[in-house]
Amino acid sequence: MSPAVSPRPARPVRFRRAAALLPLLLALPLAACSGDDGDPAPGPDTSSAPVQAPLDPVLAEIAGGSALDIGFAVATERLDEPEYREIVDKHASLVVAENVMKWETTEAADDAWDFAEGDRLAEYARTTGKKLYGHTLVWHSQLPAWVKSLDADAMQEAMEDHVRTQAEHFKGQAFAWDVVNEAIDEDGSRRSDSPFQQTLGDGYIADAFRVAHEADPDAQLCYNDYDIEGINAKSDGVYALVEDLLADDVPIHCLGIQGHLTAGKLPDDLQANIQRFVDLGLTVRVTELDIRVETPASEEALAQQAEDYASVATACLAVEGCLGLTVWGVTDRYSWIPMWFEGFGDALLWDADYETKPAFDSLVEAVGKGRPGRTA
Ligand code: G3I
């Protein structure tokens, strides 16, 4: 999405330091922050000198000790903007396309494939050593009109062809896919306004996973949805769906809990919810984290947001099978939130001027604590 903001000249991304972060940073293993091999460096005896806290925390490195991926949804056209790119280069261990691997981009007309921007992100991931997460194969939204008008046989063929062709194209590059996105309604039933649900009926979800698995047997195949952070009617519906798929030997491996949240309104059972899906045999990721506040944002709201980012990270880290946190965007400047939620915004870790927000510091702190019972 492109709000009416003109590109700005490049300058180094600045990092605000929070005093509260100091004790944590002092406790972090030096190698995690310096990127060295952990060998003590020769130098003067500093045992009685004031200890310098690392001033430049790198999220992906800090999280790496806990085997937690730190992802960002990337708008590929923004990678040309130096400040944007610097952040992704530095802090991400995983990238996902915010839009360019969706059906409306990759197959806007029947069998007319356009992987140019998806390939660009895949190349970026390959050359920078980051994981590429695929988003998304079957979704009712950002779906071209030609698909919606098909009869059942033609839609089934189109869906299978889309899943197969795209999964094969990115085979060996995308380690995981959101195979089916947002197929459940708030009450836990199948999403009634999905053309796939309406035309193909319940079986399309299992079919999509089976075809994706045939196309790329090594890929982790995920179901991804929003409003399923806590234990509620919708996440119960997703739970029942996953149980059924597993009982039918459908190749599903992971759950994406999107995490489009409002500051101060986090469910208190996020960890328990993640745990129940891990207990089913899936791995879990928070796939689209952003925590919106009313704008203009007050200091209190940003402090609440910071606390909430930390709570999400802490809940994920508390469950061994929760493998990643992906933030849905880089800077408030380009977030999708203000266009979709009037009066809300400022949901990300960097503000519109590429300044880190308190949420960045608190996320660093929470991730730096590692997994309970493990040394990060
Ligand atoms: O491609 C057109 C472009 O040609 C046009 O000039 C421009 C004018 O506004 O619009 C462009 O399309 C926009 C598209 O993003 C690509 O930038 C759409 O208007 C806009 O609605 C669309 O929004 C995306 C939204 O999905 C659509 O559902 C957001 O960027 C994207 O962040 C958002 O991501 C979704 C996840 O995929 C699934 N979960 C929910 C999440 C938030 O909605």
Side-chain angles (χ1 to χ4, degrees):
M1 325 190 95
S2 309
V5 188
S6 54
R8 294 154 36 85
R11 60 179 168 73
V13 178
R14 295 187 297 274
F15 298 92
R16 287 194 199 115
R17 296 271 60 79
L21 202 53
L22 198 63
L24 161 85
L25 294 174
L26 294 177
L28 283 173
L30 192 60
C33 293
S34 65
D36 67 17
D37 60 10
D39 286 332
D45 176 7
T46 55
S47 53
S48 60
V51 184
Q52 289 290 307
L55 291 177
D56 203 5
V58 175
L59 270 172
E61 284 182 6
I62 296 168
S66 300
L68 182 79
D69 293 325
I70 296 291
F72 289 92
V74 170
T76 45
E77 71 276 14
R78 303 290 173 208
L79 284 173
D80 295 331
E81 197 172 326
E83 290 156 310
Y84 186 104
R85 181 169 177 140
E86 185 185 336
I87 291 170
V88 184
D89 280 354
K90 183 169 174 175
H91 292 282
S93 50
L94 176 155
V95 289
V96 56
E98 183 173 0
N99 283 301
V100 297
M101 287 164 74
K102 294 172 179 173
W103 196 320
E104 72 173 7
T105 300
T106 59
E107 197 188 6
D110 190 3
D111 221 21
W113 295 94
D114 181 356
F115 292 123
E117 285 298 294
D119 286 346
R120 184 178 170 198
L121 188 65
E123 172 72 0
Y124 171 75
R126 195 183 61 72
T127 55
T128 55
K130 303 181 194 308
K131 293 181 179 174
L132 176 69
Y133 186 96
H135 175 80
T136 177
L137 297 173
V138 180
W139 187 27
H140 67 279
S141 182
Q142 290 180 281
L143 181 67
W146 69 268
V147 182
K148 299 178 196 170
S149 63
L150 299 173
D151 66 23
D153 286 347
M155 187 182 286
Q156 181 77 19
E157 193 184 331
M159 182 192 77
E160 293 190 11
D161 181 56
H162 184 80
V163 170
R164 185 177 300 109
T165 304
Q166 189 153 335
E168 278 176 357
H169 180 85
F170 289 103
K171 190 172 175 173
Q173 301 182 85
F175 80 99
W177 278 103
D178 288 333
V179 176
V180 176
N181 200 42
E182 302 173 5
I184 298 292
D185 265 330
E186 294 297 309
D187 66 357
S189 63
R190 292 298 188 93
R191 183 176 200 116
S192 56
D193 66 356
S194 160
F196 299 108
Q197 184 67 38
Q198 289 168 351
T199 306
L200 303 179
D202 286 354
Y204 85 90
I205 296 181
D207 292 343
F209 276 92
R210 288 196 170 107
V211 173
H213 186 63
E214 279 167 25
D216 185 353
D218 294 329
Q220 293 286 300
L221 303 181
C222 314
Y223 176 80
N224 188 49
D225 215 328
Y226 62 91
D227 284 354
I228 57 166
E229 290 73 29
I231 297 175
N232 56 34
K234 184 167 181 177
S235 64
D236 284 350
V238 172
Y239 188 89
L241 167 67
V242 171
E243 266 190 322
D244 287 350
L245 293 173
L246 291 170
D248 291 342
D249 291 324
V250 174
I252 176 169
H253 312 110
C254 34
L255 176 73
I257 294 177
Q258 293 186 5
H260 295 296
L261 298 165
T262 304
K265 295 192 178 166
L266 263 58
D268 55 16
D269 48 10
L270 173 59
Q271 182 183 326
N273 191 41
I274 294 171
Q275 185 69 59
R276 70 172 173 157
F277 282 98
V278 168
D279 291 345
L280 264 186
L282 301 187
T283 58
V284 172
R285 289 169 184 272
V286 179
T287 46
E288 303 186 12
L289 182 60
D290 50 26
I291 304 182
R292 58 187 175 269
V293 297
E294 280 187 55
T295 50
S298 64
E299 265 186 42
E300 292 74 24
L302 293 179
Q304 179 67 55
Q305 177 186 61
E307 192 181 318
D308 293 345
Y309 265 97
S311 297
V312 173
T314 302
C316 180
L317 284 162
V319 182
E320 285 284 336
C322 187
L323 302 183
L325 286 184
T326 293
V327 184
W328 202 246
V330 173
T331 159
D332 290 337
R333 190 176 226 212
Y334 302 128
S335 165
W336 69 292
I337 294 287
M339 282 188 216
W340 290 63
F341 295 93
E342 202 182 337
F344 285 83
D346 291 358
L348 299 173
L349 301 175
W350 280 265
D351 71 15
D353 292 322
Y354 289 103
E355 294 265 13
T356 55
K357 293 159 66 182
F360 173 83
D361 297 322
S362 68
L363 186 60
V364 166
E365 179 173 1
V367 168
K369 287 180 181 157
R371 295 191 186 269
R374 269 222 243 165
T375 312

